[in-house]
Amino acid sequence: LTLGDGLFETILARDGASLRLAAHLARLKAGAAVLGMSVPIPEAALATAMEETLSANAISDGVLRLTLTRGPARRGLLPPDRLRPTLLITAEAADGLLLSPVGAIIAVTTRRNEHSPLSRCKCINYLDNVLARIEAGKRGADEAILLNTAGNIAETAAANLFLVIEGRALTPPVADGALPGIMRAEVIGRLGAEERSLGRGDFSRASEAFITNSLAIRPLLMVDGVAIADGRPGEMTEKLRDGSHLIR
Amino acid sequence: LTLGDGLFETILARDGASLRLAAHLARLKAGAAVLGMSVPIPEAALATAMEETLSANAISDGVLRLTLTRGPARRGLLPPDRLRPTLLITAEAADGLLLSPVGAIIAVTTRRNEHSPLSRCKCINYLDNVLARIEAGKRGADEAILLNTAGNIAETAAANLFLVIEGRALTPPVADGALPGIMRAEVIGRLGAEERSLGRGDFSRASEAFITNSLAIRPLLMVDGVAIADGRPGEMTEKLRDGSHLIR
């Protein structure tokens, strides 16, 4: 934890059960492989522990957070020969979920590093995203869009981003620094969306836009003070939200 | 800690006192400003707490680690209105200090993001450095050199880097992703070293090379299996080490 040497998953819970659990655990496993470690307990035991965390906290609809770190080690960067990974499970009721439409800024504070394999992992090195989100708040916006080091759109501070251009849903590829979001993959599948590099100039070409993460699909109505199309939630976005088994 | 939202300092202690404390605390303060927070206790109280940590652990010569995080918060990226920062102080005896010459690789796993203000802060988002250091171990080297996203040399996984070319000590500028190391600043001052962008081609031009952090100045003798000059510690490096008040 003191080096940011770990991963996390944010998982929606409904009626006491985790949604899209298999996909979350597959991503956790893939991230662990990038870090050179493995998930220390079997999938079924992890699922049980998560359910128990929900019930112990009397939460039926809410959010689980799974945090996996490489575990204790002596000073220095090299992990010990024998790892003792740390696994944290926390749960929170869904009261704080944000589902409303979003106005965003394009962050100038920082950029996402598409040259790091960590841009493809949900790791706990989240400070660039925190800084971007703070910048959004200061500039009166709900969310921050992160560009990568080449100036292409990567994602937002806490979500993936989709633009609808010429009737087609487009989203930045993972190679551009987009986190491979669970909801992103689901939306790509459902809409037949295309992964394509996008720049800041593409917002003016979009007929609608939305952002996705495991907790919500939210219409993106404005970027840097300029409305996207007519500034109202788009048809594709609304249809998507209706069918996504999210807490509304 | 679960978002990597914090800073740290690694400080050498000798005879029960912290070395270069003012410089470390100045950097901590500068980093806190980048994060939009402040160091929560006065400098003198912090110095006292560090001394007490050393004496409580009966450590005279060793290493202190100061970790400052933004503190507890609810789920989400936005900090609470009222911060309660967490400050950790740990101490370790100096037995594990590595002072020997170094063979390094140029990391291919990841790159340092010079576009992020975090490249100028000693923040606990250290996973890129951990991955680079693990790569070095796998490739039989002691340290990893990190390039930035433009392909210039930034630093090593846990130190700054100096090359001596045509009799002049050179080190990558902070703008290229070099952490503004405390020892780096001291060495720049003592040698009149120049901050200059360096590429991988510059290793073959160097008559000697060394790496610096607050714990050690170590000769760099080899990069990707190729010796620097005659592959022996250089004169400037040896002279520097003699005068640096490090544990030898």
Side-chain angles (χ1 to χ4, degrees):
Chain A
L1 278 168
T2 54
L3 292 169
D5 192 356
L7 302 160
F8 74 105
E9 291 290 329
T10 302
I11 301 169
L12 191 62
R14 223 175 165 178
D15 298 327
S18 312
L19 296 191
R20 305 177 179 87
L21 183 60
H24 282 290
L25 295 185
R27 183 171 64 183
L28 185 68
K29 201 172 158 184
V34 171
L35 270 57
M37 60 180 293
S38 52
V39 181
I41 68 167
E43 217 165 283
L46 191 47
T48 303
M50 289 164 65
E51 274 175 35
E52 286 172 359
T53 307
L54 287 174
S55 66
N57 290 281
I59 294 170
S60 171
D61 292 340
V63 181
L64 286 155
R65 196 207 212 240
L66 211 61
T67 308
L68 172 67
T69 79
R70 209 184 294 268
R74 290 198 62 183
R75 203 180 52 69
L77 302 188
L78 210 54
D81 290 333
R82 196 185 174 80
L83 291 186
R84 289 181 295 141
T86 300
L87 188 64
L88 304 171
I89 304 173
T90 56
E92 190 175 294
D95 318 338
L97 280 188
L98 291 168
L99 304 169
S100 51
V102 171
I105 51 103
I106 299 175
V108 298
T109 313
T110 193
R111 296 256 179 134
R112 188 154 170 93
N113 182 6
E114 76 278 17
H115 297 279
S116 169
L118 300 179
S119 69
R120 302 187 288 278
C121 302
K122 202 162 175 69
C123 78
I124 58 176
N125 282 221
Y126 233 64
L127 189 42
D128 278 310
N129 301 52
V130 171
L131 292 186
R133 183 64 189 78
I134 291 173
E135 181 190 345
K138 278 190 184 157
R139 293 171 60 189
D142 308 298
E143 245 296 21
I145 293 161
L146 284 156
L147 304 180
N148 68 16
T149 67
N152 288 328
I153 297 167
E155 56 173 37
T156 77
N160 290 114
L161 183 146
F162 287 77
L163 298 184
V164 181
I165 295 179
E166 295 170 2
R168 187 93 197 255
L170 308 173
T171 195
V174 170
D176 276 0
L179 182 81
I182 304 301
M183 185 63 79
R184 173 182 179 275
E186 186 171 317
V187 168
I188 289 174
R190 284 177 55 196
L191 296 181
E194 190 186 329
E195 297 181 70
R196 192 194 290 178
S197 291
L198 297 168
R200 56 169 79 227
D202 288 314
F203 290 112
S204 64
R205 300 174 59 217
S207 59
E208 59 182 291
F210 56 91
I211 64 173
T212 67
N213 63 25
S214 292
L215 306 183
I217 296 174
R218 301 173 70 186
L220 173 63
L221 304 186
M222 192 171 276
V223 174
D224 280 349
V226 179
I228 290 178
D230 65 358
R232 285 156 50 171
E235 239 177 78
M236 207 182 279
T237 310
E238 287 301 288
K239 215 167 133 186
L240 202 54
R241 278 156 70 93
D242 285 340
S244 288
H245 308 292
L246 297 168
I247 296 171
R248 295 297 299 272
Chain B
L1 279 168
T2 54
L3 292 170
D5 192 357
L7 303 159
F8 75 104
E9 291 289 330
T10 302
I11 302 169
L12 191 62
R14 227 177 162 175
D15 299 326
S18 312
L19 296 192
R20 304 175 179 87
L21 184 59
H24 282 289
L25 295 185
R27 183 171 64 180
L28 184 68
K29 201 172 158 183
V34 171
L35 270 56
M37 58 179 293
S38 52
V39 181
I41 68 168
E43 219 165 284
L46 190 49
T48 303
M50 287 164 66
E51 274 175 35
E52 285 173 357
T53 306
L54 286 174
S55 66
N57 291 279
I59 293 170
S60 171
D61 292 339
V63 181
L64 285 156
R65 197 208 211 240
L66 211 60
T67 308
L68 173 65
T69 79
R70 211 184 292 266
R74 289 199 62 185
R75 203 180 52 72
L77 302 188
L78 210 55
D81 291 334
R82 196 184 174 81
L83 290 187
R84 290 180 296 141
T86 301
L87 188 64
L88 303 172
I89 305 173
T90 55
E92 189 175 294
D95 319 336
L97 280 188
L98 290 167
L99 305 167
S100 50
V102 170
I105 51 102
I106 299 176
V108 297
T109 314
T110 195
R111 297 254 180 136
R112 190 156 169 91
N113 183 6
E114 76 277 18
H115 297 278
S116 169
L118 301 180
S119 69
R120 304 187 286 280
C121 301
K122 202 163 174 68
C123 78
I124 58 175
N125 283 220
Y126 232 63
L127 189 42
D128 277 311
N129 301 52
V130 171
L131 293 186
R133 182 65 188 76
I134 291 174
E135 182 190 344
K138 280 190 183 158
R139 293 172 59 189
D142 308 297
E143 246 295 23
I145 294 161
L146 283 156
L147 304 180
N148 67 17
T149 68
N152 289 328
I153 297 167
E155 56 174 35
T156 78
N160 291 114
L161 183 145
F162 288 77
L163 298 184
V164 181
I165 295 179
E166 294 170 3
R168 187 94 195 256
L170 308 174
T171 195
V174 171
D176 276 358
L179 182 83
I182 305 302
M183 185 62 79
R184 172 182 179 275
E186 187 172 316
V187 168
I188 288 174
R190 284 176 56 196
L191 297 181
E194 190 187 328
E195 296 180 72
R196 192 195 292 179
S197 291
L198 296 168
R200 56 169 80 226
D202 288 314
F203 290 112
S204 63
R205 301 173 58 217
S207 59
E208 59 182 291
F210 56 91
I211 65 173
T212 67
N213 63 25
S214 292
L215 306 183
I217 296 174
R218 301 173 71 187
L220 173 63
L221 304 186
M222 191 171 278
V223 175
D224 279 348
V226 179
I228 291 178
D230 65 359
R232 286 156 50 169
E235 240 178 77
M236 206 182 279
T237 310
E238 289 299 290
K239 215 166 136 186
L240 201 54
R241 276 155 72 91
D242 286 340
S244 289
H245 309 291
L246 298 169
I247 297 171
R248 293 300 296 272

